[in-house]
Amino acid sequence: MQTIRSLVVALIQPSRYDEDGFVIRYLKGVLPSNTLACLRSLTLDFAPSWKSEKGITVSVEAFDEMVERIPVRKLSRMNRGNCRVVAALVGVQSNQYPRASDLAKELTASGIKTLIGGFHVSGIISMFGEPTPEIRELMDLGVTIVHGEAEGRWESILLDIVGGTEKALYTMDAFPVIAGAPIPQPAERYMKKFALPFMGTVDCSRGCPFNCSFCTVVNVQGHKMRFRNADKILATVRENYPKGITEYFFTDDNFARNPEWEKILDGMIQMREEEGMRLNMMMQVDTRSHQIPRFTEKAGRAGCTQVFIGMESINPRNLEAVSKLQNNVDDYAPFIEAWHRVGVMTHVGYIIGFPFDTPDSVREDIRRLKDEIKVDQASFFMLTPLPGSRDHLEMTRSGVRMDPDLNKYDSFHVVMDHPRMTAEEWVSAYNEAWESFYSFENMRLSLMRAGRHTYWGMFKNYMWYRNSLLEPRHPMVAGFVRRKSRHDIRPGATVMGFWQFHFQNTREMFNGFCRRISLFMELQELWLLTRHPDDPALRLVANFAASVHEAKHRIASVDIRAPYPRWCDEITATYSALSDNLQHQCRNLDINGKLRRKADALMEDMAVQLERFTSNEQYSRSVSHVTAYLNRTMQNMEEFALKKVAHRRKVTRYWILTRNRIREGKILQFLVSLPRLIMVFFKDIRMSAYFLFHLLYGNYARHK
């Protein structure tokens, strides 16, 4: 201990491997790690006393493998003489454990003392009472395992390491009190690696009073709510404001059950309303939070822009099967409406693969989620027996088959058998849920419901999610611009040759670029169709789109195997309701001139089509022609009512035509059309610049 003059604590948040074995890494991340910030603040809190009392200078280096490579060689070079380097792999989830294990082995082989903690090791030891083989493997190599939270013992663990008396396993006897613990503070260098460098994270409380069988939180953090001092949280928010940190993600598993919630919200309300500080935040709550007196109202005033809700399923039998008894399906719609009334966007977590799910039931549930409950955003997951959950413990003891590869335990892969679906059906239902919810049509209807306060937040979230799904990668673990390294690959996987790797990587980047160009055009169109809700022309289009959406659902529900008279009656009733609804909307909208004449002509055309679609000829050709006609009619309405939409679509169609000409080798036609191509190019640049301006500064442009 006397010879050590400098201690470098390298905090490392590991990534995971993709399907090809490459480490997942991005140029820009989305959500910074709160665990890294917690451990950094804990270490810096006792650093001054170590300097004055022990003569040891303590410094902290925080690394997030999602946005940077881990400099193992650099850390190894630093670990010499009077300088000691300690590497701590923190916040390691089960799907990150294989990568964390490989990093731990590499760091240990380089002579660096390594520790590993997080939800996987803590969940395993909490449920089984002892390490499992994959954890014992690291212990045998000299890696120290830390079970539980670091508050109250992190300093003593480092003291043991400095003194050469460290243990192979540190277990937590009781959950620590965190009221006086330092508030998480990330380094500026770290925050610059994320797309939203102005967003901070704070776990205001830990634990959850509920007992869902699939969840690890209750077993890793306990049922009793433990919370940080509200005054310290508010002081940190105030201190960070001049530094540009104006948005927060309260990472509590359930902020609504934090006993200090009202004091925190009152403090943020004061800063916003009395001091003019532009603060925003998002948080996680349960489906009964709207029943807490004053909670939703104060959250809206405190700058809450989004709440994440563990809805999980809208099938009561599924909720009962996994002990999520606090959720009442009948309360879902009022719950969403309560948050909408205070101007807060709703984001639900939805799990696919509960015992009573089938492909058809999932399809219907997602439709209800969109059309009846009307949530703004959804994140879909596959039911996974995560180590640390009651499900995993029971399946292990019962000998139920589970995939041995922990890298797949990310809630996006099938790792067990399902009683009512094959693996292929399960994956298909999962992918279809994403495609359905984030379809152009549903995003458009959701944005039309959005208020001025939430519009751009929703739009940017849709952009983020659609961009992530192009990879495809779950948005919550994705970033922007994938970065691959040929040698950062899972042990056992074949390392590609130099030219093969770079050729494949270049091709993937080019294809990804092309897909994102198409997405960019689609987002422009989406914005043009939703940007001015008070414009009579746009309201006409929006009402038409909503009515057509409802009619299409009713038509899709018609049984085409029914006798003709019954089929005809149902189609006629649906179509008549649509026509009456649209005519009523047109009469009550303040439109005139050319737009009025075109709208009236469209109504007359629909009346004529009604007769055709109830004929025997159309019946024999099924209802698809009715849906196709409605889609064409809606596009016509959009293009004659909103000229900018027509221009955007015309340019997009031209680029598709040009691409097809090139693919088909029609070089002469391509060359002849060069003058027009150049003209269209500059027109597209102008439209895109207009869109980008509003995308970047939309909050100001829209509110003024």
Side-chain angles (χ1 to χ4, degrees):
M1 184 173 178
Q2 298 299 322
T3 60
I4 296 177
R5 293 290 175 262
S6 177
L7 178 68
V8 178
V9 180
L11 304 172
I12 300 171
Q13 176 77 66
S15 181
R16 58 179 294 271
Y17 298 111
D18 66 13
E19 285 73 10
D20 297 321
F22 291 102
V23 173
I24 298 174
R25 188 181 300 119
Y26 294 93
L27 178 65
K28 288 286 185 181
V30 177
L31 294 174
S33 168
N34 188 69
T35 306
L36 278 181
C38 282
L39 268 295
R40 178 179 181 271
S41 295
L42 281 174
T43 309
L44 293 178
D45 188 54
F46 60 75
S49 63
W50 277 44
K51 177 68 174 177
S52 59
E53 298 172 10
K54 301 177 178 60
I56 300 177
T57 301
V58 179
S59 60
V60 182
E61 296 286 343
F63 303 98
D64 190 332
E65 200 175 24
M66 284 290 290
V67 291
E68 59 191 325
R69 294 188 70 179
I70 308 303
V72 176
R73 292 183 181 179
K74 177 183 176 182
L75 294 174
S76 179
R77 289 194 298 269
M78 294 170 62
N79 191 38
R80 295 175 182 175
N82 293 333
C83 180
R84 184 79 182 273
V85 175
V86 175
L89 296 158
V90 304
V92 181
Q93 299 177 16
S94 295
N95 67 90
Q96 298 169 327
Y97 188 84
R99 174 57 184 166
S101 177
D102 294 336
L103 274 174
K105 293 173 183 176
E106 185 179 359
L107 289 161
T108 302
S110 300
I112 298 172
K113 178 57 189 177
T114 305
L115 305 89
I116 184 169
F119 263 70
H120 180 74
V121 299
S122 297
I124 286 290
I125 295 173
S126 293
M127 297 304 286
F128 290 93
E130 60 182 3
T132 43
E134 79 279 2
I135 298 175
R136 287 203 175 278
E137 179 190 10
L138 292 184
M139 293 173 65
D140 292 342
L141 294 174
V143 177
T144 292
I145 307 300
V146 181
H147 158 255
E149 299 168 23
E151 283 80 7
R153 59 181 184 148
W154 179 233
E155 182 179 6
S156 64
I157 292 174
L158 292 179
L159 273 173
D160 288 350
I161 293 173
V162 169
T165 60
E166 69 270 15
K167 302 175 184 177
L169 172 65
Y170 288 88
T171 57
M172 180 177 64
D173 297 325
F175 294 108
V177 176
I178 61 173
I183 304 298
Q185 288 277 33
E188 280 189 41
R189 177 196 71 85
Y190 174 65
M191 293 301 294
K192 290 178 181 178
K193 297 180 181 294
F194 290 83
L196 301 176
F198 48 79
M199 186 178 73
T201 60
V202 180
D203 55 331
C204 303
S205 63
R206 296 178 191 166
C208 181
F210 303 116
N211 195 33
C212 307
S213 67
F214 57 85
C215 184
T216 61
V217 171
V218 292
N219 299 313
V220 175
Q221 296 186 346
H223 288 284
K224 183 179 179 181
M225 298 301 296
R226 294 167 292 121
F227 50 90
R228 296 183 184 275
N229 182 281
D231 291 330
K232 294 186 69 172
I233 293 172
L234 294 171
T236 301
V237 171
R238 190 183 300 278
E239 177 187 339
N240 286 342
Y241 190 75
K243 301 176 184 178
I245 299 180
T246 59
E247 293 191 15
Y248 286 87
F249 176 29
F250 293 158
T251 62
D252 315 37
D253 193 67
N254 194 340
F255 182 82
R257 304 303 161 180
N258 180 351
E260 294 275 87
W261 70 261
E262 191 162 24
K263 191 172 183 179
I264 295 171
L265 295 184
D266 284 342
M268 295 192 70
I269 290 171
Q270 178 184 338
M271 283 186 265
R272 283 171 55 86
E273 297 181 355
E274 298 180 15
E275 302 176 42
M277 298 169 66
R278 294 193 174 190
L279 293 169
N280 292 308
M281 55 92 171
M282 55 184 178
M283 58 186 175
Q284 301 181 89
V285 298
D286 62 75
T287 56
R288 293 183 179 179
S289 59
H290 67 300
Q291 298 173 358
I292 302 174
R294 305 178 303 281
F295 183 70
T296 56
E297 183 267 334
K298 287 196 173 186
R301 289 176 58 197
C304 183
T305 58
Q306 177 183 161
V307 288
F308 183 86
I309 313 113
M311 188 173 286
E312 319 306 4
S313 178
I314 60 176
N315 184 332
R317 292 193 299 171
N318 281 333
L319 297 173
E320 184 179 356
V322 296
S323 302
K324 200 171 183 70
L325 304 179
Q326 69 272 22
N327 280 20
N328 184 342
V329 175
D330 293 334
D331 288 340
Y332 284 175
F335 169 82
I336 298 298
E337 178 57 30
W339 285 105
H340 283 170
R341 279 198 302 270
V342 295
V344 177
M345 181 175 69
T346 55
H347 182 171
V348 303
Y350 200 89
I351 297 177
I352 296 172
F354 282 132
F356 295 97
D357 281 342
T358 66
D360 289 337
S361 73
V362 170
R363 190 174 298 112
E364 175 61 15
D365 288 349
I366 302 306
R367 185 202 64 77
R368 291 182 58 200
L369 199 67
K370 297 186 300 180
D371 300 339
E372 297 176 15
I373 301 174
K374 296 182 179 179
V375 301
D376 302 309
Q377 193 173 345
S379 289
F380 299 104
F381 306 88
M382 288 185 176
L383 183 63
T384 303
L386 293 172
S389 67
R390 195 166 77 246
D391 284 350
H392 181 267
L393 178 66
E394 292 175 356
M395 291 175 69
T396 301
R397 288 177 173 173
S398 301
V400 177
R401 188 200 72 84
M402 292 182 284
D403 196 303
D405 186 2
L406 288 171
N407 194 67
K408 295 179 181 178
Y409 283 66
D410 51 11
S411 298
F412 323 133
H413 290 82
V414 174
V415 296
M416 64 179 185
D417 296 328
H418 191 275
R420 299 168 188 265
M421 294 187 285
T422 65
E424 292 74 18
E425 289 174 332
W426 193 353
V427 172
S428 178
Y430 172 76
N431 290 333
E432 186 179 332
W434 283 107
E435 293 169 5
S436 174
F437 194 92
Y438 291 96
S439 65
F440 186 92
E441 183 176 27
N442 190 56
M443 290 191 298
R444 174 190 180 171
L445 292 172
S446 297
L447 286 170
M448 290 307 304
R449 293 194 300 263
R452 292 177 177 272
H453 180 61
T454 58
Y455 177 87
W456 278 109
M458 284 178 61
F459 192 96
K460 291 175 181 177
N461 280 350
Y462 288 159
M463 180 175 66
W464 161 28
Y465 267 47
R466 285 294 303 275
N467 174 75
S468 301
L469 296 175
L470 291 176
E471 289 198 35
R473 185 79 56 205
H474 197 286
M476 287 192 170
V477 295
F480 296 96
V481 186
R482 178 73 189 276
R483 303 174 72 179
K484 283 185 180 181
S485 173
R486 185 164 66 98
H487 295 287
D488 284 347
I489 193 166
R490 192 172 189 178
T494 303
V495 178
M496 289 186 181
F498 179 86
W499 294 113
Q500 180 189 5
F501 171 79
H502 287 287
F503 174 78
Q504 178 176 304
N505 201 32
T506 302
R507 183 177 61 185
E508 289 176 357
M509 291 177 64
F510 177 77
N511 291 336
F513 176 77
C514 292
R515 290 195 297 269
R516 283 162 178 80
I517 289 293
S518 298
L519 175 61
F520 184 70
M521 294 178 181
E522 180 183 328
L523 290 171
Q524 284 188 54
E525 184 179 331
L526 180 64
W527 172 64
L528 291 170
L529 284 166
T530 57
R531 61 185 180 136
H532 291 312
D534 298 329
D535 183 355
L538 192 138
R539 272 193 291 151
L540 172 65
V541 170
N543 292 339
F544 189 91
S547 299
V548 167
H549 177 75
E550 181 181 353
K552 284 163 61 178
H553 170 64
R554 289 183 61 181
I555 291 169
S557 302
V558 173
D559 187 358
I560 60 173
R561 297 168 297 181
Y564 169 71
R566 180 180 172 188
W567 179 89
C568 185
D569 289 344
E570 292 180 359
I571 290 293
T572 301
T574 300
Y575 219 69
S576 296
L578 172 64
S579 181
D580 293 343
N581 187 18
L582 294 176
Q583 289 180 12
H584 174 74
Q585 292 171 7
C586 286
R587 285 194 299 269
N588 289 304
L589 275 176
D590 183 20
I591 57 173
N592 48 46
K594 190 175 182 180
L595 180 57
R596 168 66 69 180
R597 291 193 298 273
K598 286 193 173 184
D600 290 341
L602 188 124
M603 296 300 107
E604 293 175 7
D605 180 70
M606 291 184 66
V608 173
Q609 292 296 329
L610 175 62
E611 298 296 329
R612 292 184 56 200
F613 283 127
T614 55
S615 69
N616 280 304
E617 177 188 358
Q618 293 299 322
Y619 171 66
S620 63
R621 295 167 67 184
S622 185
V623 298
S624 60
H625 289 270
V626 185
T627 304
Y629 170 75
L630 291 177
N631 288 335
R632 290 195 305 271
T633 304
M634 186 167 64
Q635 289 182 358
N636 291 336
M637 170 71 83
E638 292 164 351
E639 292 181 11
F640 74 65
L642 303 170
K643 293 300 181 184
K644 289 186 181 296
V645 172
H647 294 160
R648 175 67 265 170
R649 288 177 177 171
K650 186 177 180 180
V651 170
T652 301
R653 286 194 292 266
Y654 180 79
W655 290 131
I656 294 174
L657 175 63
T658 301
R659 181 192 63 188
N660 291 339
R661 283 175 176 173
I662 295 174
R663 285 181 173 179
E664 295 169 5
K666 298 178 180 179
I667 304 301
L668 183 60
Q669 288 184 350
F670 172 75
L671 293 175
V672 169
S673 64
L674 270 178
R676 187 184 176 193
L677 185 147
I678 295 172
M679 182 178 66
V680 171
F681 174 76
F682 283 105
K683 187 176 182 179
D684 200 347
I685 290 293
R686 186 183 64 184
M687 288 190 294
S688 298
Y690 182 66
F691 169 62
L692 278 174
F693 171 80
H694 286 276
L695 180 64
L696 296 173
Y697 303 102
N699 288 302
Y700 299 98
R702 190 175 178 84
H703 295 166
K704 292 184 178 180

